[in-house]
């Protein structure tokens, strides 16, 4: 059959005639050049010798007509197959023609009895001469009437077919009813879940491009268009009637993570990947996850836009990560995780969780500010597109972190000095006036809610103030710190204000601004040293201040000169004392000290007792 199919697929066109172009003069010349080379090498005598010897002309390559025996046999067999196939096709065509011819003659002979004129035009002339016209006829014969047995059989068969048809119809109706019941159950389940989504407060609407599909809007109206348009998903029904949340191609959940790094290693982290959604996960939970995911994606995008403007404050962007400076050479790392990533197990602390929560609150505050600007009267139309503002999200976080670090260092410094002076029986009282984390008690305007007032307090520059009562009780120092990233103020600024209750003191009433914490410590230690000198002078009228800036006081008593040089440094208080008698008499000197930490060489007595002990 396969060979016949291949033969039937052949064309019935005539056999191609041989190509006579090969025998033309140009072809002959080309063949002679290929076989024997140039005509200069051909002579009549040489050709005759080759013919007599029966040899072929030596050539550099084989002629086109000298084909190998295998190729000639293959060509002959292929030609034989083609010829045999053509003969088979012609035989079958002839057989078909003969069959149709006999059928036509038979029909014409049958019709010759009733319509001889029409039959004569189609019957074969040889058959017309051989058989007389009308020798074959046809007529309609009435069928015999069936018997009662046959009628009963036919009725039984008819009844059986009717019963079979009724059973088939009933089964079809039952299947349709079951299928309709299942469809009703699926629709009921679908709309119950849709109603549960509606009761949760989610906004339902039609899809813009699919009017017959219901969707849920979980995005934020005041978000950027790149993220606001993605806040719409279709609520499709699956085969079981459950609601499937179709978010399109970008359906991967992503979540923000905040980590505290020390020497490049995470010591705490906030931001745990949620569990993988299963078939039993409620659609309300899926919508909430989608809302949180798109919110964190927008937050991460806005943080990158803002971080580029604060590179001078030590903020760096490396890939998807944002690194913020922190205390003690630590860093705050902010990145975003995908649902397929393998994050570290969460080890949340107060700093990482507070920063993560503050970032989300500040982005929500930026959305509210967008709504407020959009609700106001639009500005005058100008040429060109209005640039999109950069949200202030990282700025309050970095300001508070830097201010918190500065306050911690300042408190440690003040507590150390207080312990040092307490060891010398001197008092140094420290009062905290304000802190940057104090919540507002009342709002300034009825139109501003307490929440907005709280968020506004986070976005303003951080301020703190300390009041320090010095040992003489005549001088009070007020230390103010301000941390802000403004064009005119960048970083932390310090203000030292001196309040003097006694006009006879050597301390001048002034304010000393500085932006260096080291300079602040030097100014504070210098002021405390001057106050201690005033305290010593006030307790004994014999002491006189000779070099205040050097901490030197002197007195004359019992025919000898006594001198004290006071040194107050960050690590402790030290006194160099000396006395000298009249000319030719002995003199003596020494050193005593006090520190915040008890050292073997420290004095156990107070400052006044130690001084009196040195000169007795």
């Amino acid at each position: 059959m396969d060979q016949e199919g291949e033969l039937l697929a052949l064309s019935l066109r005539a056999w191609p005639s041989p190509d006579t172009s090969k025998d033309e003069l140009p072809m002959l010349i080309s063949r002679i050049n290929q076989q024997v080379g140039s005509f200069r090498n051909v002579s009549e005598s040489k050709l005759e010798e080759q013919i007599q010897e029966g040899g072929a002309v030596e050539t550099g390559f084989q002629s086109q007509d000298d084909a190998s025996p295998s190729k000639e046999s293959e060509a002959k067999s292929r030609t034989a197959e083609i010829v045999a196939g053509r003969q088979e096709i012609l035989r079958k065509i002839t057989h078909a023609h003969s069959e149709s011819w006999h059928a036509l003659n038979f029909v014409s002979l049958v019709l010759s009895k009733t319509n001889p004129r029409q039959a004569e035009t189609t019957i074969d002339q040889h058959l017309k001469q051989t058989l007389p016209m009308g020798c074959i006829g046809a007529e309609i014969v009435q069928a015999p009437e069936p018997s009662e047995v046959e009628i009963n059989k036919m009725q039984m068969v008819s009844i059986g077919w009717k019963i079979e048809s009724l059973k088939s119809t009933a089964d079809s109706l039952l299947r349709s009813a079951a299928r309709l019941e299942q469809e009703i159950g699926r629709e009921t389940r679908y709309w119950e879940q849709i109603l549960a989504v509606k009761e949760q407060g989610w906004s339902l609407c039609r899809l813009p491009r699919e009017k017959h599909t219901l969707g849920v809007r979980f995005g934020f109206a005041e978000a950027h268009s790149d993220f606001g348009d993605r806040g719409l998903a279709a609520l499709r029904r699956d085969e079981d009637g459950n609601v499937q949340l179709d978010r399109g191609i970008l359906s991967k959940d992503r979540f923000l993570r905040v980590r505290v790094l020390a020497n490049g290693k995470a010591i705490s982290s906030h931001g745990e990947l949620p569990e993988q959604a299963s078939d039993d996960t409620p659609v309300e939970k899926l919508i909430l996850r989608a809302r949180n995911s798109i919110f964190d994606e927008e937050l991460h995008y806005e943080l990158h836009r803002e971080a580029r403007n604060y590179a001078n404050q030590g903020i760096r962007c490396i890939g998807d990560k944002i690194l913020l400076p922190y205390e003690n050479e630590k860093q705050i790392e902010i990145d975003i995780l995908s649902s397929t990533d393998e994050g570290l197990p969460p080890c949340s602390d107060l700093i990482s969780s507070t920063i993560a929560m503050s970032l989300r609150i500040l982005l929500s505050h930026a959305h509210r500010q967008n709504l407020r600007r959009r609700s106001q009267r639009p500005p005058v139309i100008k040429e060109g597109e209005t640039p999109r503002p950069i949200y202030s999200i990282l700025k309050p976080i970095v300001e508070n972190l830097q201010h918190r670090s500065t306050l911690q260092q300042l408190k440690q410094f003040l507590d150390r000095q207080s312990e040092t002076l307490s060891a010398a029986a001197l008092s140094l009282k420290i009062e905290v006036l304000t802190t940057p984390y104090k919540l507002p008690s009342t709002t300034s305007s009825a139109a501003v809610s307490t929440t907005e007032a709280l968020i506004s307090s986070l976005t303003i520059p951080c301020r703190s103030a300390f009041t320090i009562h010095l040992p003489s009780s005549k001088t009070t120092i007020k230390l103010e710190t301000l941390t802000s990233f403004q064009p005119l103020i960048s970083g932390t600024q310090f203000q030292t204000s001196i309040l003097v209750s006694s006009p006879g003191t050597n301390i001048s009433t002034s304010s000393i601004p500085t932006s260096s914490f080291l300079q602040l410590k030097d100014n504070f230690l210098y002021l405390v040293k001057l106050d201690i000198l005033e305290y010593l002078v006030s307790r004994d009228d014999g002491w006189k201040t000779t070099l205040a800036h050097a901490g030197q006081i002197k007195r004359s008593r019992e025919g000898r000169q006594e001198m004290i040089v006071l040194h107050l440094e960050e690590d402790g208080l030290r006194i160099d004392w000396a006395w000298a008698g009249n000319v030719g008499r002995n003199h003596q000197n020494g050193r005593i000290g006090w520190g915040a930490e008890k050292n073997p060489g420290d004095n156990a007595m107070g400052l006044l007792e130690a001084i009196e002990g040195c000169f007795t």
Side-chain angles (χ1 to χ4, degrees):
M1 291 298 293
D2 295 339
Q3 185 177 2
E4 292 181 359
E6 293 180 357
L7 294 175
L8 289 175
L10 295 175
S11 175
L12 300 179
R13 290 181 293 181
W15 189 260
S17 59
D19 189 6
T20 58
S21 62
K22 295 183 178 180
D23 299 333
E24 295 179 356
L25 183 60
M27 294 297 296
L28 293 176
I29 295 174
S30 175
R31 292 175 62 187
I32 293 172
N33 289 331
Q34 292 177 358
Q35 293 176 4
V36 298
S38 175
F39 281 94
R40 297 177 180 178
N41 300 328
V42 180
S43 62
E44 186 177 356
S45 60
K46 188 175 181 180
L47 291 175
E48 289 179 355
E49 290 177 0
Q50 291 179 355
I51 292 172
Q52 292 175 1
E53 293 176 0
V57 180
E58 295 181 0
T59 58
F61 53 90
Q62 188 178 6
S63 173
Q64 294 180 357
D65 294 340
D66 298 337
S68 61
S70 60
K71 292 184 178 179
E72 290 180 357
S73 60
E74 290 178 1
K76 289 180 181 180
S77 61
R78 180 61 178 168
T79 303
E81 291 178 1
I82 293 174
V83 173
R86 181 174 180 274
Q87 295 297 332
E88 181 68 19
I89 292 173
L90 293 177
R91 185 183 64 79
K92 291 183 178 181
I93 291 174
T94 304
H95 179 71
H97 179 269
S98 176
E99 292 292 333
S100 61
W101 179 80
H102 287 301
L104 178 62
N105 288 333
F106 177 75
V107 173
S108 300
L109 190 61
V110 172
L111 292 177
S112 63
K113 185 174 182 179
T114 57
N115 195 355
R117 292 180 178 270
Q118 185 177 359
E120 291 178 356
T121 59
T122 57
I123 198 169
D124 186 63
Q125 295 298 326
H126 177 73
L127 185 61
K128 183 178 179 182
Q129 295 175 3
T130 304
L131 296 175
M133 302 296 292
C135 64
I136 299 176
E139 61 180 2
I140 300 175
V141 181
Q142 185 177 2
E145 294 183 359
S147 61
E148 292 183 0
V149 177
E150 294 178 350
I151 292 174
N152 291 334
K153 289 183 179 180
M154 294 176 63
Q155 289 179 353
M156 293 299 294
V157 171
S158 177
I159 292 172
W161 278 110
K162 289 180 179 179
I163 293 174
E164 187 68 23
S165 299
L166 291 175
K167 288 182 178 179
S168 176
T169 303
D171 294 340
S172 178
L173 290 175
L174 290 176
R175 288 193 300 269
S176 299
R179 186 171 61 254
L180 181 60
E181 184 178 1
Q182 293 177 358
E183 187 68 19
I184 291 174
R186 297 190 190 101
E187 285 291 327
T188 302
R189 191 179 302 109
Y190 173 77
W191 288 107
E192 285 178 353
Q193 296 181 10
I194 292 294
L195 183 60
V197 173
K198 181 66 176 178
E199 291 175 352
Q200 291 292 330
W202 298 105
S203 176
L204 302 180
C205 62
R206 293 181 179 179
L207 294 183
R209 297 183 181 180
E210 300 180 30
K211 299 298 183 181
H212 300 286
T213 304
L214 196 63
V216 59
R217 190 176 297 278
F218 54 84
F220 300 86
E222 303 305 325
H224 190 255
S225 59
D226 294 342
F227 301 95
D229 296 341
R230 292 169 50 194
L232 181 63
L235 297 175
R236 305 188 187 277
R237 198 196 74 177
D238 61 2
E239 296 179 354
D240 297 331
N242 297 319
V243 177
Q244 295 292 333
L245 186 67
D246 185 6
R247 295 166 55 187
I249 300 176
L250 302 176
S251 59
K252 187 182 296 184
D253 294 331
R254 308 184 73 185
F255 300 93
L256 196 72
R257 180 177 64 176
V258 179
R259 297 194 297 174
V260 179
L261 305 181
N263 298 324
K265 297 182 179 180
I267 59 177
S268 66
S269 174
H270 180 83
E272 180 181 3
L273 289 175
E275 299 179 357
Q276 294 292 336
S278 61
D279 297 337
D280 300 334
T281 304
V283 65
E284 301 92 342
K285 189 174 181 180
L286 296 178
I287 296 173
L288 183 62
R289 287 181 55 178
R291 194 276 307 272
N292 296 339
S293 174
I294 196 172
F295 185 82
D296 285 356
E297 287 184 42
E298 182 188 5
L299 176 59
H300 187 257
Y301 173 75
E302 295 296 339
L303 290 178
H304 265 276
R305 293 184 66 230
E306 185 184 7
R308 300 188 189 102
N309 295 335
Y310 293 104
N312 59 340
Q313 299 297 332
I315 301 177
R316 293 185 297 163
C317 297
I318 303 176
D320 291 339
K321 299 179 182 179
I322 302 174
L323 298 177
L324 310 180
Y326 190 44
E327 59 185 13
N328 298 329
E329 297 183 356
K330 297 180 182 179
Q331 288 180 321
I332 303 294
E333 182 188 77
I334 303 173
D335 60 353
I336 193 164
L337 293 180
S338 177
S339 57
T340 58
D341 296 337
E342 295 182 0
L344 295 175
C347 181
S348 180
D349 64 349
L350 182 60
I351 294 298
S352 58
S353 59
T354 302
I355 291 176
M357 184 181 300
S358 300
L359 291 174
R360 294 183 172 95
I361 291 175
L362 291 172
L363 180 59
S364 300
H365 179 66
H367 287 171
R368 179 166 294 188
Q369 296 297 324
N370 290 341
L371 176 60
R372 182 166 297 174
R373 283 193 298 267
R374 194 162 56 89
S375 303
Q376 296 176 356
R377 181 180 299 177
V380 180
I381 299 177
K382 299 180 180 179
E383 294 182 359
E385 185 179 357
T386 303
R388 180 164 158 257
I390 297 178
Y391 298 153
S392 180
I393 302 176
L394 275 180
K395 175 177 173 292
I397 300 297
V398 178
E399 287 179 351
N400 280 274
L401 288 177
Q402 183 172 342
H403 194 79
R404 180 178 180 274
S405 177
T406 303
L407 285 183
Q408 186 176 0
Q409 296 178 11
L410 183 57
K411 287 180 180 179
Q412 292 177 355
F413 170 73
L414 294 178
D415 292 341
R416 188 179 184 87
Q417 299 308 313
S418 177
E419 293 174 1
T420 299
L421 296 183
S422 297
L426 299 175
S427 63
L428 187 70
K429 297 180 181 180
I430 304 172
E431 296 180 3
V432 180
L433 298 182
T434 59
T435 60
Y437 312 106
K438 186 177 181 181
L439 301 180
S441 57
T442 57
T443 57
S444 59
S445 176
V448 180
S449 63
T450 305
T451 304
E452 292 186 357
L454 173 60
I455 298 176
S456 299
S457 66
L458 296 177
T459 56
I460 61 177
C462 301
R463 294 177 180 272
S464 295
F466 298 89
T467 300
I468 299 99
H469 300 280
L470 300 184
S472 65
S473 300
K474 297 180 182 180
T475 307
T476 301
I477 299 176
K478 183 179 181 182
L479 296 180
E480 295 178 342
T481 60
L482 171 65
T483 304
S484 176
F485 294 154
Q486 301 293 339
L488 298 180
I489 303 175
S490 181
T492 302
Q493 303 291 326
F494 303 97
Q495 184 79 19
T496 304
S497 302
I498 306 172
L499 306 178
V500 182
S501 59
S502 176
T505 181
N506 293 326
I507 304 177
S508 61
T509 59
S510 61
S511 296
I512 307 173
T514 181
S515 59
S516 173
F517 184 66
L518 296 177
Q519 185 65 33
L520 172 69
K521 292 192 293 185
D522 293 340
N523 294 338
F524 179 80
L525 294 175
Y526 178 73
L527 294 175
V528 174
K529 181 176 68 173
L530 294 181
D531 185 79
I532 294 175
L533 293 179
E534 292 290 334
Y535 173 74
L536 294 176
V537 171
S538 63
R539 296 298 298 267
D540 190 343
D541 295 338
W543 291 108
K544 301 295 181 182
T545 304
T546 54
L547 296 175
H549 65 279
Q552 179 179 333
I553 57 176
K554 291 182 179 181
R555 72 177 178 182
S556 298
R557 190 180 64 166
E558 297 178 359
R560 62 181 182 181
Q561 298 291 330
E562 299 175 352
M563 180 183 66
I564 294 176
V565 179
L566 182 66
H567 303 278
L568 180 60
E569 298 176 354
E570 186 176 355
D571 56 349
L573 174 65
R574 188 176 71 254
I575 290 180
D576 295 333
W577 59 272
W579 62 267
N582 296 329
V583 179
R585 299 190 62 180
N586 297 330
H587 64 277
Q588 190 175 1
N589 58 13
R591 172 179 292 182
I592 56 177
W594 297 266
E597 299 177 357
K598 297 298 183 180
N599 296 320
D602 292 345
N603 197 314
M605 296 184 295
L607 178 63
L608 296 177
E609 296 178 357
I611 293 175
E612 293 299 329
C614 293
F615 297 107
T616 55

